[in-house]
Amino acid sequence: MIKKSHHTVRQSIQQRIETGEWPLGALIPGEIVLAAEYGCARTTINRALQALADAGMLIRKRKGGTRVCSMPVRLAKFAIPIVREQVEATGCQYKHQVVVNILKVPEKEIAAGLNLASGEKANYLETLHFANGKPFAFEQRWVNLKAVPTILTAPLHEISANEWLVKTVPFSSGDVVFYATNAEQRIADAIETTLGTAIFVSDRTTWFKEEFITKVKLYYQAGFQLYTQL
Amino acid sequence: MIKKSHHTVRQSIQQRIETGEWPLGALIPGEIVLAAEYGCARTTINRALQALADAGMLIRKRKGGTRVCSMPVRLAKFAIPIVREQVEATGCQYKHQVVVNILKVPEKEIAAGLNLASGEKANYLETLHFANGKPFAFEQRWVNLKAVPTILTAPLHEISANEWLVKTVPFSSGDVVFYATNAEQRIADAIETTLGTAIFVSDRTTWFKEEFITKVKLYYQAGFQLYTQL
DNA sequence: ACTGATATTATGTATGCACATAATATATTT
DNA sequence: AAATATATTATGTGCATACATAATATCAGT
């Protein structure tokens, strides 16, 4: 083994796990032993093992050593997408259309979820996203004006609120909920399907340093599938 | 700044991005400058910056330097769960029940998806997962007998096929599709809802070194939500 | 036996150094 | 002026070393 870079070592070790040389839950050799075996410095082995531990493939403990994760936490990752990119990824042409853009006081339960004072207005937007001219998703969005006052002057007819916010607001945390729902009449009309059709919905709330920024519900076209890889 | 470990440096730098000190797309100081500023070695800065780059917060290029990612790819991660853990996480008691466990030849389209020779039998399982005695999810699963012959002797009444496979088969790759569907009568009966109710479905196929292992469809109870964080 | 001090061990972290590599800027040649 | 060579620069990677830290093993004292 003349392997060198931690990438190569990492890959090699991953293989040895995958082929079953080190079965699930087994203790693998220490860094020094591996370093000798691969003919590299312990530092290099360390980086490789740490990377694998980050990936959830190994569990490391001082003393106790490193062992193969017995119940591997397989993480499915997916990029929270710009709808435009989602559409264009399927080879379709993207278009969007702002249907509603008003200021209004949200209903109580929503205002609470948004962390807004009662009676405070927020920017409410409804946008239709199209793929090759057909409705792809229907978006309902609340934007906190205190956090992002400039949204009022943003050219939302050229760039969707979705994309504008990602490009403008620095890193933020948030949570996403996915669920299925039977289409109400309004939604059914918007995405051109029939009442009661099962619709895939993503509901996302975004925060920036404890301050609410935006909450968006996306109703995808009937038959939509969210694909991710392990 | 007496900050030391790369963790601390990483956090500090992340803050400076989040507070807007370095806006989206901006070029940040080089490693040497930062090392001087933080009073640590360049290596330490390097590790911190690399970590942030891995997290999708920075983009680094030899020469050209490091800049804040202008269109941050926020990755939503979620663990592909053992259903039991999913149930227990909500504080409910878990139980499962194997409804069907037979060998049969899958339909053509499924066999193709499973990479099985035509006419070849596979293990077909139907399992009901319960939370506090109420149906939580209905599982339909195909298992490749050539890959995992021991499934036939597994105690599937004590440990669900789901969990047994995760504990037994080494790391594997796979893909997951989520979608919404209107419940057919069979499904509706199984999870005790009414015909046509919108159901959240996850459809997962798992491979081990190019060999098909298992394909599983999970129909979740009505109202189920998949929650993830950014 | 039980308790607590001490040594051992494996990983975690930091540092300094050297060289590799890629992209750019500058100088050189035609 | 255009093409080519060279220097510069910032990151990428590897190594040797040292010390830190946490968990365990060992051993002594009561």
Side-chain angles (χ1 to χ4, degrees):
Chain A
M1 290 259 182
I2 325 170
K3 313 274 182 170
K4 277 185 179 179
S5 72
H6 57 260
H7 286 300
T8 323
V9 173
R10 181 195 154 142
Q11 230 180 318
S12 163
I13 290 179
Q14 185 166 345
Q15 268 192 3
R16 293 170 78 171
I17 294 169
E18 286 174 345
T19 56
E21 176 177 340
W22 296 320
L24 295 187
L27 195 66
I28 76 172
E31 295 186 345
I32 300 174
V33 179
L34 288 173
E37 182 179 339
Y38 282 96
C40 64
R42 187 172 78 88
T43 319
T44 306
I45 299 294
N46 185 289
R47 285 181 72 173
L49 293 186
Q50 287 225 21
L52 288 172
D54 285 347
M57 194 163 295
L58 295 176
I59 293 189
R60 320 193 70 196
K61 276 211 305 216
R62 275 169 173 158
K63 186 76 180 177
T66 303
R67 49 183 65 240
V68 181
C69 187
S70 59
M71 285 268 282
V73 179
R74 301 300 276 160
L75 285 179
K77 295 182 263 191
F78 55 91
I80 285 309
I82 312 294
V83 177
R84 178 175 62 76
E85 290 177 353
Q86 217 171 351
V87 167
E88 288 174 352
T90 66
C92 294
Q93 223 208 326
Y94 174 73
K95 200 183 68 178
H96 79 277
Q97 184 186 334
V98 179
V99 181
V100 175
N101 183 352
I102 57 174
L103 301 185
K104 74 171 180 182
V105 178
E107 296 161 33
K108 250 186 199 140
E109 25 177 301
I110 294 187
L114 303 189
N115 233 11
L116 293 177
S118 81
E120 189 171 2
K121 284 192 177 181
N123 192 189
Y124 178 72
L125 290 152
E126 288 189 350
T127 309
L128 264 169
H129 301 270
F130 296 92
N132 281 350
K134 287 184 57 179
F136 176 79
F138 177 61
E139 172 184 320
Q140 296 179 327
R141 180 186 295 270
W142 290 95
V143 180
N144 182 359
L145 287 172
K146 275 189 309 189
V148 199
T150 48
I151 183 106
L152 293 176
T153 61
L156 296 184
H157 290 277
E158 285 156 37
I159 180 173
S160 76
N162 183 340
E163 201 162 345
W164 184 85
L165 282 166
V166 172
K167 270 192 179 152
T168 306
V169 179
F171 285 90
S172 43
S173 61
D175 45 46
V176 191
V177 176
F178 298 105
Y179 59 92
T181 194
N182 293 99
E184 308 166 23
Q185 192 62 56
R186 291 198 57 219
I187 309 297
D189 290 345
I191 57 176
E192 292 180 8
T193 185
T194 54
L195 184 70
T197 301
I199 298 295
F200 189 89
V201 185
S202 91
D203 187 339
R204 180 155 103 237
T205 307
T206 311
W207 310 82
F208 176 59
K209 297 185 72 64
E210 313 293 310
E211 190 175 35
F212 160 68
I213 293 192
T214 187
K215 176 181 169 68
V216 53
K217 264 190 196 169
L218 277 165
Y219 296 86
Y220 288 94
Q221 67 181 145
F224 173 80
Q225 297 190 330
L226 180 68
Y227 177 87
T228 88
Q229 258 182 315
L230 290 186
Chain B
M1 290 262 183
I2 326 169
K3 314 276 183 167
K4 277 187 181 178
S5 74
H6 58 258
H7 284 300
T8 324
V9 173
R10 181 194 154 143
Q11 230 180 319
S12 163
I13 289 179
Q14 187 168 346
Q15 268 193 4
R16 294 169 78 171
I17 295 169
E18 286 175 345
T19 57
E21 176 177 340
W22 296 319
L24 296 186
L27 195 67
I28 76 172
E31 294 185 346
I32 300 175
V33 178
L34 288 173
E37 182 179 339
Y38 282 96
C40 64
R42 185 173 80 89
T43 318
T44 307
I45 299 294
N46 184 289
R47 285 182 72 173
L49 293 185
Q50 287 222 24
L52 287 173
D54 285 347
M57 194 163 298
L58 295 176
I59 292 189
R60 320 194 71 196
K61 275 210 309 216
R62 277 168 172 158
K63 184 77 179 177
T66 303
R67 50 182 66 240
V68 181
C69 186
S70 58
M71 286 269 281
V73 179
R74 301 299 276 160
L75 284 180
K77 296 181 267 192
F78 54 91
I80 286 308
I82 312 293
V83 177
R84 179 175 61 76
E85 290 177 352
Q86 218 170 352
V87 167
E88 288 175 352
T90 66
C92 294
Q93 223 208 325
Y94 174 74
K95 200 183 69 179
H96 79 277
Q97 183 186 334
V98 179
V99 181
V100 174
N101 184 351
I102 56 173
L103 300 186
K104 73 172 181 181
V105 178
E107 298 160 32
K108 251 186 195 140
E109 26 178 302
I110 294 187
L114 302 190
N115 234 13
L116 293 178
S118 81
E120 188 171 2
K121 284 193 177 181
N123 191 190
Y124 178 72
L125 290 151
E126 288 190 354
T127 309
L128 265 170
H129 301 270
F130 296 91
N132 280 352
K134 286 184 56 181
F136 176 79
F138 176 62
E139 173 183 320
Q140 297 178 328
R141 179 185 295 269
W142 290 94
V143 181
N144 182 0
L145 287 172
K146 274 188 310 189
V148 200
T150 47
I151 183 105
L152 293 176
T153 60
L156 296 184
H157 290 277
E158 286 156 36
I159 180 172
S160 75
N162 184 340
E163 203 162 344
W164 184 85
L165 281 166
V166 171
K167 272 193 180 150
T168 306
V169 180
F171 284 90
S172 44
S173 61
D175 45 47
V176 191
V177 176
F178 298 104
Y179 59 92
T181 194
N182 293 99
E184 308 166 22
Q185 192 62 55
R186 291 199 57 219
I187 309 297
D189 290 345
I191 58 177
E192 291 180 11
T193 186
T194 55
L195 184 69
T197 301
I199 297 296
F200 189 89
V201 185
S202 91
D203 187 339
R204 182 156 101 236
T205 307
T206 311
W207 311 81
F208 175 60
K209 299 184 72 65
E210 312 293 311
E211 189 174 34
F212 159 67
I213 294 190
T214 187
K215 175 180 170 68
V216 54
K217 265 190 196 170
L218 277 164
Y219 296 86
Y220 288 92
Q221 67 181 148
F224 173 81
Q225 298 191 328
L226 180 70
Y227 177 86
T228 89
Q229 257 181 317
L230 291 186

PDB file of all heavy atoms in Angstrom, chain A residues 83-84 87-88 92-98 127-137 157-158 160:
ATOM      1  N   VAL A  83     -36.424  26.727  -5.973  1.00  0.00           N
ATOM      2  CA  VAL A  83     -37.379  26.020  -6.814  1.00  0.00           C
ATOM      3  C   VAL A  83     -36.941  26.071  -8.274  1.00  0.00           C
ATOM      4  O   VAL A  83     -37.062  25.089  -9.013  1.00  0.00           O
ATOM      5  CB  VAL A  83     -38.802  26.603  -6.659  1.00  0.00           C
ATOM      6  CG1 VAL A  83     -39.765  25.896  -7.588  1.00  0.00           C
ATOM      7  CG2 VAL A  83     -39.261  26.461  -5.227  1.00  0.00           C
ATOM      8  N   ARG A  84     -36.387  27.203  -8.659  1.00  0.00           N
ATOM      9  CA  ARG A  84     -35.925  27.317 -10.037  1.00  0.00           C
ATOM     10  C   ARG A  84     -34.932  26.217 -10.386  1.00  0.00           C
ATOM     11  O   ARG A  84     -35.030  25.580 -11.432  1.00  0.00           O
ATOM     12  CB  ARG A  84     -35.267  28.688 -10.263  1.00  0.00           C
ATOM     13  CG  ARG A  84     -34.713  28.881 -11.669  1.00  0.00           C
ATOM     14  CD  ARG A  84     -34.185  30.283 -11.883  1.00  0.00           C
ATOM     15  NE  ARG A  84     -33.076  30.614 -10.994  1.00  0.00           N
ATOM     16  CZ  ARG A  84     -31.830  30.170 -11.147  1.00  0.00           C
ATOM     17  NH1 ARG A  84     -31.543  29.370 -12.153  1.00  0.00           N
ATOM     18  NH2 ARG A  84     -30.899  30.514 -10.300  1.00  0.00           N
ATOM     19  N   VAL A  87     -36.573  22.874 -10.760  1.00  0.00           N
ATOM     20  CA  VAL A  87     -37.247  22.724 -12.052  1.00  0.00           C
ATOM     21  C   VAL A  87     -36.230  22.505 -13.164  1.00  0.00           C
ATOM     22  O   VAL A  87     -36.357  21.588 -13.980  1.00  0.00           O
ATOM     23  CB  VAL A  87     -38.109  23.969 -12.356  1.00  0.00           C
ATOM     24  CG1 VAL A  87     -38.563  23.968 -13.812  1.00  0.00           C
ATOM     25  CG2 VAL A  87     -39.296  24.032 -11.415  1.00  0.00           C
ATOM     26  N   GLU A  88     -35.215  23.346 -13.164  1.00  0.00           N
ATOM     27  CA  GLU A  88     -34.243  23.262 -14.247  1.00  0.00           C
ATOM     28  C   GLU A  88     -33.464  21.957 -14.204  1.00  0.00           C
ATOM     29  O   GLU A  88     -32.967  21.492 -15.230  1.00  0.00           O
ATOM     30  CB  GLU A  88     -33.296  24.473 -14.183  1.00  0.00           C
ATOM     31  CG  GLU A  88     -33.999  25.759 -14.603  1.00  0.00           C
ATOM     32  CD  GLU A  88     -33.143  27.008 -14.428  1.00  0.00           C
ATOM     33  OE1 GLU A  88     -32.050  26.903 -13.843  1.00  0.00           O
ATOM     34  OE2 GLU A  88     -33.590  28.074 -14.864  1.00  0.00           O
ATOM     35  N   CYS A  92     -36.561  21.208 -17.430  1.00  0.00           N
ATOM     36  CA  CYS A  92     -37.696  22.028 -17.840  1.00  0.00           C
ATOM     37  C   CYS A  92     -37.338  23.503 -17.760  1.00  0.00           C
ATOM     38  O   CYS A  92     -36.389  23.907 -17.091  1.00  0.00           O
ATOM     39  CB  CYS A  92     -38.901  21.744 -16.948  1.00  0.00           C
ATOM     40  SG  CYS A  92     -39.554  20.083 -17.144  1.00  0.00           S
ATOM     41  N   GLN A  93     -38.162  24.295 -18.445  1.00  0.00           N
ATOM     42  CA  GLN A  93     -37.950  25.729 -18.383  1.00  0.00           C
ATOM     43  C   GLN A  93     -38.733  26.303 -17.216  1.00  0.00           C
ATOM     44  O   GLN A  93     -39.895  25.962 -16.995  1.00  0.00           O
ATOM     45  CB  GLN A  93     -38.393  26.373 -19.699  1.00  0.00           C
ATOM     46  CG  GLN A  93     -37.382  27.422 -20.178  1.00  0.00           C
ATOM     47  CD  GLN A  93     -38.051  28.476 -21.004  1.00  0.00           C
ATOM     48  OE1 GLN A  93     -38.999  28.184 -21.723  1.00  0.00           O
ATOM     49  NE2 GLN A  93     -37.553  29.691 -20.908  1.00  0.00           N
ATOM     50  N   TYR A  94     -38.068  27.183 -16.490  1.00  0.00           N
ATOM     51  CA  TYR A  94     -38.677  27.721 -15.282  1.00  0.00           C
ATOM     52  C   TYR A  94     -39.298  29.088 -15.531  1.00  0.00           C
ATOM     53  O   TYR A  94     -38.784  29.887 -16.314  1.00  0.00           O
ATOM     54  CB  TYR A  94     -37.621  27.849 -14.185  1.00  0.00           C
ATOM     55  CG  TYR A  94     -38.141  28.526 -12.939  1.00  0.00           C
ATOM     56  CD1 TYR A  94     -39.004  27.854 -12.090  1.00  0.00           C
ATOM     57  CD2 TYR A  94     -37.787  29.833 -12.635  1.00  0.00           C
ATOM     58  CE1 TYR A  94     -39.491  28.474 -10.953  1.00  0.00           C
ATOM     59  CE2 TYR A  94     -38.270  30.447 -11.486  1.00  0.00           C
ATOM     60  CZ  TYR A  94     -39.127  29.767 -10.663  1.00  0.00           C
ATOM     61  OH  TYR A  94     -39.622  30.381  -9.542  1.00  0.00           O
ATOM     62  N   LYS A  95     -40.390  29.314 -14.851  1.00  0.00           N
ATOM     63  CA  LYS A  95     -41.043  30.619 -14.905  1.00  0.00           C
ATOM     64  C   LYS A  95     -41.768  30.775 -13.572  1.00  0.00           C
ATOM     65  O   LYS A  95     -42.163  29.784 -12.964  1.00  0.00           O
ATOM     66  CB  LYS A  95     -42.060  30.637 -16.048  1.00  0.00           C
ATOM     67  CG  LYS A  95     -42.470  32.012 -16.541  1.00  0.00           C
ATOM     68  CD  LYS A  95     -43.537  31.886 -17.621  1.00  0.00           C
ATOM     69  CE  LYS A  95     -44.848  31.357 -17.040  1.00  0.00           C
ATOM     70  NZ  LYS A  95     -45.920  31.274 -18.053  1.00  0.00           N
ATOM     71  N   HIS A  96     -41.915  31.988 -13.116  1.00  0.00           N
ATOM     72  CA  HIS A  96     -42.714  32.153 -11.910  1.00  0.00           C
ATOM     73  C   HIS A  96     -43.576  33.394 -12.038  1.00  0.00           C
ATOM     74  O   HIS A  96     -43.323  34.277 -12.859  1.00  0.00           O
ATOM     75  CB  HIS A  96     -41.841  32.214 -10.659  1.00  0.00           C
ATOM     76  CG  HIS A  96     -41.197  33.547 -10.449  1.00  0.00           C
ATOM     77  ND1 HIS A  96     -40.042  33.913 -11.081  1.00  0.00           N
ATOM     78  CD2 HIS A  96     -41.565  34.604  -9.683  1.00  0.00           C
ATOM     79  CE1 HIS A  96     -39.706  35.132 -10.708  1.00  0.00           C
ATOM     80  NE2 HIS A  96     -40.613  35.579  -9.863  1.00  0.00           N
ATOM     81  N   GLN A  97     -44.580  33.430 -11.203  1.00  0.00           N
ATOM     82  CA  GLN A  97     -45.558  34.493 -11.316  1.00  0.00           C
ATOM     83  C   GLN A  97     -46.050  34.837  -9.920  1.00  0.00           C
ATOM     84  O   GLN A  97     -46.524  33.972  -9.190  1.00  0.00           O
ATOM     85  CB  GLN A  97     -46.720  33.991 -12.188  1.00  0.00           C
ATOM     86  CG  GLN A  97     -47.773  35.027 -12.466  1.00  0.00           C
ATOM     87  CD  GLN A  97     -48.950  34.381 -13.200  1.00  0.00           C
ATOM     88  OE1 GLN A  97     -48.785  33.372 -13.877  1.00  0.00           O
ATOM     89  NE2 GLN A  97     -50.125  34.935 -13.020  1.00  0.00           N
ATOM     90  N   VAL A  98     -45.913  36.101  -9.555  1.00  0.00           N
ATOM     91  CA  VAL A  98     -46.400  36.533  -8.247  1.00  0.00           C
ATOM     92  C   VAL A  98     -47.896  36.768  -8.350  1.00  0.00           C
ATOM     93  O   VAL A  98     -48.346  37.547  -9.179  1.00  0.00           O
ATOM     94  CB  VAL A  98     -45.688  37.816  -7.785  1.00  0.00           C
ATOM     95  CG1 VAL A  98     -46.236  38.263  -6.443  1.00  0.00           C
ATOM     96  CG2 VAL A  98     -44.192  37.590  -7.723  1.00  0.00           C
ATOM     97  N   THR A 127     -47.021  32.795  -4.786  1.00  0.00           N
ATOM     98  CA  THR A 127     -46.277  32.693  -6.043  1.00  0.00           C
ATOM     99  C   THR A 127     -46.557  31.346  -6.691  1.00  0.00           C
ATOM    100  O   THR A 127     -46.652  30.327  -6.001  1.00  0.00           O
ATOM    101  CB  THR A 127     -44.758  32.807  -5.788  1.00  0.00           C
ATOM    102  OG1 THR A 127     -44.497  33.966  -5.007  1.00  0.00           O
ATOM    103  CG2 THR A 127     -43.993  32.886  -7.093  1.00  0.00           C
ATOM    104  N   LEU A 128     -46.684  31.381  -7.999  1.00  0.00           N
ATOM    105  CA  LEU A 128     -46.820  30.123  -8.743  1.00  0.00           C
ATOM    106  C   LEU A 128     -45.508  29.860  -9.462  1.00  0.00           C
ATOM    107  O   LEU A 128     -44.951  30.751 -10.108  1.00  0.00           O
ATOM    108  CB  LEU A 128     -47.958  30.223  -9.756  1.00  0.00           C
ATOM    109  CG  LEU A 128     -49.300  29.667  -9.303  1.00  0.00           C
ATOM    110  CD1 LEU A 128     -50.394  30.059 -10.286  1.00  0.00           C
ATOM    111  CD2 LEU A 128     -49.236  28.154  -9.162  1.00  0.00           C
ATOM    112  N   HIS A 129     -45.031  28.642  -9.343  1.00  0.00           N
ATOM    113  CA  HIS A 129     -43.820  28.241 -10.056  1.00  0.00           C
ATOM    114  C   HIS A 129     -44.215  27.306 -11.190  1.00  0.00           C
ATOM    115  O   HIS A 129     -44.982  26.369 -10.985  1.00  0.00           O
ATOM    116  CB  HIS A 129     -42.860  27.525  -9.110  1.00  0.00           C
ATOM    117  CG  HIS A 129     -42.443  28.355  -7.929  1.00  0.00           C
ATOM    118  ND1 HIS A 129     -41.347  29.178  -7.943  1.00  0.00           N
ATOM    119  CD2 HIS A 129     -42.988  28.506  -6.698  1.00  0.00           C
ATOM    120  CE1 HIS A 129     -41.219  29.779  -6.779  1.00  0.00           C
ATOM    121  NE2 HIS A 129     -42.214  29.392  -6.004  1.00  0.00           N
ATOM    122  N   PHE A 130     -43.672  27.586 -12.371  1.00  0.00           N
ATOM    123  CA  PHE A 130     -44.031  26.772 -13.535  1.00  0.00           C
ATOM    124  C   PHE A 130     -42.836  26.003 -14.077  1.00  0.00           C
ATOM    125  O   PHE A 130     -41.705  26.491 -14.051  1.00  0.00           O
ATOM    126  CB  PHE A 130     -44.560  27.668 -14.664  1.00  0.00           C
ATOM    127  CG  PHE A 130     -45.834  28.374 -14.324  1.00  0.00           C
ATOM    128  CD1 PHE A 130     -45.812  29.646 -13.758  1.00  0.00           C
ATOM    129  CD2 PHE A 130     -47.056  27.772 -14.570  1.00  0.00           C
ATOM    130  CE1 PHE A 130     -46.985  30.309 -13.447  1.00  0.00           C
ATOM    131  CE2 PHE A 130     -48.241  28.428 -14.268  1.00  0.00           C
ATOM    132  CZ  PHE A 130     -48.204  29.705 -13.700  1.00  0.00           C
ATOM    133  N   ALA A 131     -43.125  24.820 -14.588  1.00  0.00           N
ATOM    134  CA  ALA A 131     -42.125  24.052 -15.323  1.00  0.00           C
ATOM    135  C   ALA A 131     -42.688  23.812 -16.711  1.00  0.00           C
ATOM    136  O   ALA A 131     -43.741  23.195 -16.852  1.00  0.00           O
ATOM    137  CB  ALA A 131     -41.836  22.721 -14.628  1.00  0.00           C
ATOM    138  N   ASN A 132     -42.008  24.316 -17.704  1.00  0.00           N
ATOM    139  CA  ASN A 132     -42.510  24.218 -19.077  1.00  0.00           C
ATOM    140  C   ASN A 132     -43.951  24.697 -19.187  1.00  0.00           C
ATOM    141  O   ASN A 132     -44.764  24.101 -19.879  1.00  0.00           O
ATOM    142  CB  ASN A 132     -42.407  22.786 -19.600  1.00  0.00           C
ATOM    143  CG  ASN A 132     -40.990  22.442 -20.038  1.00  0.00           C
ATOM    144  OD1 ASN A 132     -40.143  23.333 -20.124  1.00  0.00           O
ATOM    145  ND2 ASN A 132     -40.754  21.183 -20.308  1.00  0.00           N
ATOM    146  N   GLY A 133     -44.261  25.750 -18.472  1.00  0.00           N
ATOM    147  CA  GLY A 133     -45.587  26.341 -18.582  1.00  0.00           C
ATOM    148  C   GLY A 133     -46.650  25.684 -17.729  1.00  0.00           C
ATOM    149  O   GLY A 133     -47.738  26.228 -17.562  1.00  0.00           O
ATOM    150  N   LYS A 134     -46.332  24.515 -17.178  1.00  0.00           N
ATOM    151  CA  LYS A 134     -47.317  23.855 -16.322  1.00  0.00           C
ATOM    152  C   LYS A 134     -47.003  24.145 -14.864  1.00  0.00           C
ATOM    153  O   LYS A 134     -45.837  24.230 -14.475  1.00  0.00           O
ATOM    154  CB  LYS A 134     -47.299  22.340 -16.561  1.00  0.00           C
ATOM    155  CG  LYS A 134     -47.926  21.938 -17.879  1.00  0.00           C
ATOM    156  CD  LYS A 134     -47.958  20.416 -18.020  1.00  0.00           C
ATOM    157  CE  LYS A 134     -48.710  19.768 -16.857  1.00  0.00           C
ATOM    158  NZ  LYS A 134     -48.754  18.294 -16.995  1.00  0.00           N
ATOM    159  N   PRO A 135     -48.030  24.288 -14.033  1.00  0.00           N
ATOM    160  CA  PRO A 135     -47.792  24.594 -12.620  1.00  0.00           C
ATOM    161  C   PRO A 135     -46.936  23.514 -11.983  1.00  0.00           C
ATOM    162  O   PRO A 135     -47.219  22.328 -12.126  1.00  0.00           O
ATOM    163  CB  PRO A 135     -49.192  24.588 -12.004  1.00  0.00           C
ATOM    164  CG  PRO A 135     -50.121  24.789 -13.140  1.00  0.00           C
ATOM    165  CD  PRO A 135     -49.473  24.177 -14.329  1.00  0.00           C
ATOM    166  N   PHE A 136     -45.889  23.942 -11.305  1.00  0.00           N
ATOM    167  CA  PHE A 136     -44.987  22.996 -10.650  1.00  0.00           C
ATOM    168  C   PHE A 136     -45.196  23.019  -9.142  1.00  0.00           C
ATOM    169  O   PHE A 136     -45.205  21.992  -8.491  1.00  0.00           O
ATOM    170  CB  PHE A 136     -43.540  23.349 -10.981  1.00  0.00           C
ATOM    171  CG  PHE A 136     -42.533  22.499 -10.283  1.00  0.00           C
ATOM    172  CD1 PHE A 136     -42.247  21.227 -10.762  1.00  0.00           C
ATOM    173  CD2 PHE A 136     -41.874  22.951  -9.153  1.00  0.00           C
ATOM    174  CE1 PHE A 136     -41.321  20.427 -10.114  1.00  0.00           C
ATOM    175  CE2 PHE A 136     -40.952  22.146  -8.498  1.00  0.00           C
ATOM    176  CZ  PHE A 136     -40.674  20.888  -8.992  1.00  0.00           C
ATOM    177  N   ALA A 137     -45.347  24.217  -8.619  1.00  0.00           N
ATOM    178  CA  ALA A 137     -45.576  24.327  -7.180  1.00  0.00           C
ATOM    179  C   ALA A 137     -46.263  25.657  -6.886  1.00  0.00           C
ATOM    180  O   ALA A 137     -46.075  26.644  -7.593  1.00  0.00           O
ATOM    181  CB  ALA A 137     -44.267  24.234  -6.414  1.00  0.00           C
ATOM    182  N   HIS A 157     -40.623  40.119  -9.601  1.00  0.00           N
ATOM    183  CA  HIS A 157     -41.157  39.573 -10.843  1.00  0.00           C
ATOM    184  C   HIS A 157     -40.051  38.965 -11.691  1.00  0.00           C
ATOM    185  O   HIS A 157     -40.292  38.170 -12.584  1.00  0.00           O
ATOM    186  CB  HIS A 157     -41.911  40.656 -11.615  1.00  0.00           C
ATOM    187  CG  HIS A 157     -43.182  41.040 -10.944  1.00  0.00           C
ATOM    188  ND1 HIS A 157     -44.348  40.327 -11.095  1.00  0.00           N
ATOM    189  CD2 HIS A 157     -43.458  42.025 -10.060  1.00  0.00           C
ATOM    190  CE1 HIS A 157     -45.293  40.864 -10.363  1.00  0.00           C
ATOM    191  NE2 HIS A 157     -44.777  41.922  -9.710  1.00  0.00           N
ATOM    192  N   GLU A 158     -38.840  39.364 -11.375  1.00  0.00           N
ATOM    193  CA  GLU A 158     -37.714  38.805 -12.112  1.00  0.00           C
ATOM    194  C   GLU A 158     -37.062  37.661 -11.353  1.00  0.00           C
ATOM    195  O   GLU A 158     -36.654  36.666 -11.930  1.00  0.00           O
ATOM    196  CB  GLU A 158     -36.656  39.902 -12.358  1.00  0.00           C
ATOM    197  CG  GLU A 158     -37.053  40.881 -13.440  1.00  0.00           C
ATOM    198  CD  GLU A 158     -36.342  42.202 -13.264  1.00  0.00           C
ATOM    199  OE1 GLU A 158     -35.163  42.171 -12.863  1.00  0.00           O
ATOM    200  OE2 GLU A 158     -36.966  43.258 -13.506  1.00  0.00           O
ATOM    201  N   SER A 160     -37.547  35.148  -7.961  1.00  0.00           N
ATOM    202  CA  SER A 160     -38.561  34.730  -6.995  1.00  0.00           C
ATOM    203  C   SER A 160     -38.113  35.095  -5.592  1.00  0.00           C
ATOM    204  O   SER A 160     -36.918  35.191  -5.301  1.00  0.00           O
ATOM    205  CB  SER A 160     -38.802  33.236  -7.088  1.00  0.00           C
ATOM    206  OG  SER A 160     -37.750  32.532  -6.492  1.00  0.00           O
TER     207      SER A 160
END
